[in-house]
Amino acid sequence: MSRTVVVVGGGYGGAAVAKALQAEADVVLVDPREAFVNVAGSLRGLTRPDWAGNVFFPYRTLLTEGRVVRDRAVSVDPGGVTLASGEHLPADYLVLATGGRYPYPVHPAADTVAGALADLRASHRELAGARRVLVLGAGAVGLELAGEIKEVWPDKRVVVLDPAGELLPGFLPGVADDLRRQLDALGVELRLGTGLVAPPPGESGRAGEFTVTTTAGEELTADLWYRAYGSGVDADYLADGKLTARTARGKVEVTERLNLPGHPHVYAIGDLADLPEADMAGFAMRHAEVVAGNITAQLRGEQPAEVYRPLGHPIILLPLGTTGGVGQLPSPEGPFATSAEMVRDYKGADLFTGRFLDRFGPNAA
């Protein structure tokens, strides 16, 4: 008798688990979107709308043997998932992979590919007409955005502002030094250790000249601003407590095998799992491998043996356009700083498009 695995959330981790298990069980993937979104490519889709189709991989080509239910989970219990439609999906195994919520344009607002592409084209027109751009947030998203803008429009003034006093805290000093050098070469202006007296008027990504004052007393005039900070965990469907309580960070406690304590058939991966590491796609996909291995063992009547070990130090691949960027990767001897060429080859040139073509099949391009 075949058993059912319900995967809630079709992001990096959830899509990988569903793909890996579709030959082992009846897999049901629950996600309101029409397609997997490679959010690593969203910012390039903003600056180059003719490239934006590369970001989207329809679920129909991902799951050739499984089933996709386009709906939102509103509650989860040990026996299954209740959807916004009112339907309850029974499950022998559950994988919670709803991940995080990031501001647009990193995560599209529309659930359809056509709608998301239309939004990116409209946002591109707003950006194309702006001479001066203010980016709030000097984390990976803000700096990648600055790099993509500068590659397409080198003459635009781009100012990145952040209350934090340093770039990439916690990473090797050489990584931050190289990043600052490359940003200077691109003409990106950094304002670190300072915030704004009042937020910019209007919406993020909507053109319209404005002037703001920093807490250091500087006045900055721009035509467009972006919010490149602030994310949340998508876990409202756990609020009723029918399955588990959330931690102080809004996440879910997991064991070393990534199942919920007391629930050997329920797993949480990606941003939702409360682990001592950053919320990154690469980690979510490592989680997916562990969970797929453990559920496969359980389906075969064996004890799950796959264990997840956090790396213990941060990693990053931060491209600045198609050719630049910085990185820090693990090795048996410890983390090491990568060259811009390695960042280009691993990520920056196509932002993982080739990898997902191999894994998920044709995209919307």
Side-chain angles (χ1 to χ4, degrees):
M1 179 178 176
S2 183
R3 282 157 293 177
T4 300
V5 179
V6 175
V7 181
V8 184
Y12 290 102
V17 168
K19 180 80 170 179
L21 292 176
Q22 65 176 348
E24 302 287 338
D26 290 333
V27 171
V28 181
L29 177 65
V30 177
D31 198 294
R33 296 170 297 184
E34 181 182 16
F36 167 81
V37 181
N38 175 25
V39 296
S42 297
L43 300 178
R44 189 163 297 168
L46 169 69
T47 60
R48 304 170 188 247
D50 57 337
W51 188 88
N54 289 295
V55 173
F56 303 96
F57 295 78
Y59 287 125
R60 66 177 181 275
T61 60
L62 165 69
L63 287 183
T64 54
E65 300 176 57
R67 182 164 67 101
V68 179
V69 175
R70 287 191 60 194
D71 206 337
R72 296 182 187 277
V74 295
S75 180
V76 179
D77 60 77
V81 180
T82 302
L83 306 177
S85 65
E87 181 183 3
H88 184 268
L89 297 175
D92 297 294
Y93 298 92
L94 281 166
V95 182
L96 309 181
T98 41
R101 294 187 295 254
Y102 296 84
Y104 177 83
V106 175
H107 272 172
D111 289 337
T112 66
V113 172
L117 289 174
D119 288 344
L120 286 172
R121 288 192 292 269
S123 298
H124 172 83
R125 290 192 292 270
E126 301 273 344
L127 174 57
R131 294 183 297 112
R132 301 156 298 185
V133 179
L134 175 64
V135 178
L136 300 182
V141 170
L143 298 176
E144 286 189 34
L145 175 58
E148 294 290 341
I149 293 171
K150 277 293 191 177
E151 181 160 283
V152 177
W153 298 284
D155 294 332
K156 286 191 192 295
R157 185 189 186 196
V158 178
V159 178
V160 180
L161 182 146
D162 199 302
E166 59 180 317
L167 286 175
L168 299 183
F171 287 84
L172 297 171
V175 177
D177 292 344
D178 189 18
L179 177 57
R180 185 179 286 274
R181 179 188 61 77
Q182 292 188 49
L183 292 169
D184 287 345
L186 290 171
V188 174
E189 301 177 37
L190 287 176
R191 302 289 191 276
L192 300 181
T194 184
L196 292 179
V197 173
E203 297 178 32
S204 172
R206 186 64 60 88
E209 183 179 301
F210 62 91
T211 299
V212 290
T213 303
T214 72
T215 52
E218 179 184 9
E219 288 193 344
L220 294 171
T221 299
D223 307 300
L224 189 72
W225 69 278
Y226 290 100
R227 182 166 73 91
Y229 66 90
S231 64
V233 181
D234 188 0
D236 290 348
Y237 59 94
L238 297 173
D240 59 16
K242 290 183 178 179
L243 179 66
T244 187
R246 288 176 285 179
T247 67
R249 298 201 296 161
K251 302 186 177 226
V252 172
E253 182 182 353
V254 293
T255 72
E256 62 181 4
R257 290 181 172 79
L258 299 181
N259 65 286
L260 275 59
H263 297 290
H265 68 298
V266 182
Y267 294 84
I269 63 175
D271 297 1
L272 185 63
D274 199 355
L275 294 166
E277 59 191 12
D279 296 336
M280 296 177 64
F283 291 138
M285 297 179 78
R286 288 182 63 215
H287 301 167
E289 292 177 5
V290 170
V291 169
N294 283 333
I295 293 179
T296 297
Q298 290 172 298
L299 289 167
R300 295 173 180 175
E302 303 166 3
Q303 288 297 313
E306 298 286 339
V307 170
Y308 182 74
R309 304 290 187 198
L311 290 176
H313 52 259
I315 64 172
I316 196 169
L317 285 173
L318 197 167
L320 296 173
T322 58
T323 59
V326 300
Q328 178 172 303
L329 294 176
S331 77
E333 294 74 35
F336 68 96
T338 69
S339 64
E341 291 75 20
M342 183 177 289
V343 176
R344 176 199 65 200
D345 293 344
Y346 272 72
K347 183 178 180 183
D350 74 346
L351 299 173
F352 300 138
T353 299
R355 177 185 302 185
F356 291 116
L357 282 171
D358 291 340
R359 180 174 297 217
F360 293 164
N363 60 16

